[in-house]
Amino acid sequence: MSTPQLVVHRDKELMAQAAAARLITKVVDAQASRGYASVVLTGGRNGNGLLAALAGAPARDAVDWGRLDLWWGDERFLPEGDPDRNIAQAREALLDSVPLDPKRVHAMPASDGPYGTDADAAAAGYAEELALAAGPENHGSVPVFDVLMLGVGPDTHVASLFPELPAVRETERMVVGVHGAPKPPPTRVSLTLPAIRAAREVWLLAAGEDKAQAAAIALSGAGEIQAPAAGAYGRSRTLWLLDSAAASQLPRSLYPPASA
């Protein structure tokens, strides 16, 4: 378990731009050392804001997009092409404007896909896809992602792991169907905490006053069942990227004055 590190930016726009620049550096370094990179994307306003900032970053051309594997932390279990699906929003924000290898874009199944409306079967199918991508060096049933990004919800949820619901209690499966989510749509597919913790680095994104209490709770030593964001951490690094509004309820002792 890595100790959370905090970086606080002046506003959400600066946070998105800085996070995009940070991600470019991580991807380029991984590709230089290993030949490819593996990143898990997140949806929501902060995740999509980062992707839009990445689309507009001059340094984006430093990335070899054809050698980048993209996965998702969760997905709304809706029909293919539904504008509320994370993959659809990611395509609009960035993916359609860069030369990705379609075989390396690992979208979660849709509700009109090969598993029909069975979210649990869709989750099992995505878990199988992850397992096939995991090499012997990964020592597990998911790849060791270079960076896994998560938006933090006002209730401290990450991915589609909501406080007290069964998915956040999962310790064996890497991907689960989520039923009865407290925000629409109620049916989703999500990575679990064990899968999240397989990442080298986990980045938690929080911007806006509505995320301030969630950040304070998750970083105060709360339990992961009550505050799922508290249970999201990477093997080598856990990075909280916040704007000043989201950090407004945190004690200054948690982050250095040098934060941007």
Side-chain angles (χ1 to χ4, degrees):
M1 177 178 178
S2 53
T3 301
Q5 297 175 299
L6 279 67
V7 179
V8 181
H9 296 282
R10 183 177 62 247
D11 54 47
K12 64 181 181 180
E13 290 79 16
L14 184 58
M15 186 190 96
Q17 292 165 8
R22 190 184 294 270
L23 183 60
I24 289 170
T25 299
K26 284 294 176 186
V27 169
V28 170
D29 286 349
Q31 290 178 335
S33 65
R34 201 173 59 248
Y36 67 94
S38 179
V39 172
V40 180
L41 300 181
T42 184
R45 68 171 189 255
N46 292 322
N48 291 326
L50 186 155
L51 294 182
L54 185 52
R60 80 175 201 183
D61 292 337
V63 173
D64 185 339
W65 295 97
R67 292 189 294 134
L68 176 63
D69 285 292
L70 293 179
W71 302 86
W72 270 262
D74 73 324
E75 185 57 276
R76 299 170 175 97
F77 199 53
L78 297 168
E80 185 71 33
D82 189 295
D84 284 338
R85 275 175 59 83
N86 289 333
I87 177 68
Q89 295 173 6
R91 290 192 184 283
E92 182 178 358
L94 171 69
L95 307 191
D96 285 346
S97 64
V98 291
L100 292 160
D101 179 350
K103 295 179 181 178
R104 290 180 176 263
V105 178
H106 305 276
M108 286 184 164
S111 63
D112 58 351
Y115 306 99
T117 58
D118 188 340
D120 297 319
Y126 202 66
E128 184 176 347
E129 189 173 351
L130 285 163
L132 288 171
E137 72 280 5
N138 296 142
H139 304 293
S141 56
V142 295
V144 177
F145 312 112
D146 291 296
V147 177
L148 184 148
M149 294 183 288
L150 297 166
V152 179
D155 60 353
T156 72
H157 84 265
V158 290
S160 284
L161 305 178
F162 294 91
E164 304 285 356
L165 290 191
V168 77
R169 301 175 184 272
E170 181 62 46
T171 59
E172 300 293 332
R173 292 175 293 172
M174 298 295 108
V175 191
V176 292
V178 176
H179 307 275
K183 60 181 292 188
T187 306
R188 296 154 176 259
V189 175
S190 181
L191 297 189
T192 60
L193 288 176
I196 289 168
R197 293 168 185 164
R200 290 183 175 88
E201 297 197 9
V202 170
W203 298 2
L204 296 106
L205 313 175
E209 291 182 7
D210 62 328
K211 307 297 179 69
Q213 185 176 22
I217 291 171
L219 289 164
S220 68
E224 63 194 38
I225 305 301
Q226 295 76 28
Y233 49 83
R235 291 187 175 192
S236 62
R237 194 180 197 194
T238 304
L239 190 62
W240 280 73
L241 302 172
L242 309 101
D243 71 351
S244 58
S248 62
Q249 295 186 30
L250 297 175
R252 288 289 297 182
S253 59
L254 281 180
Y255 59 94
S259 288

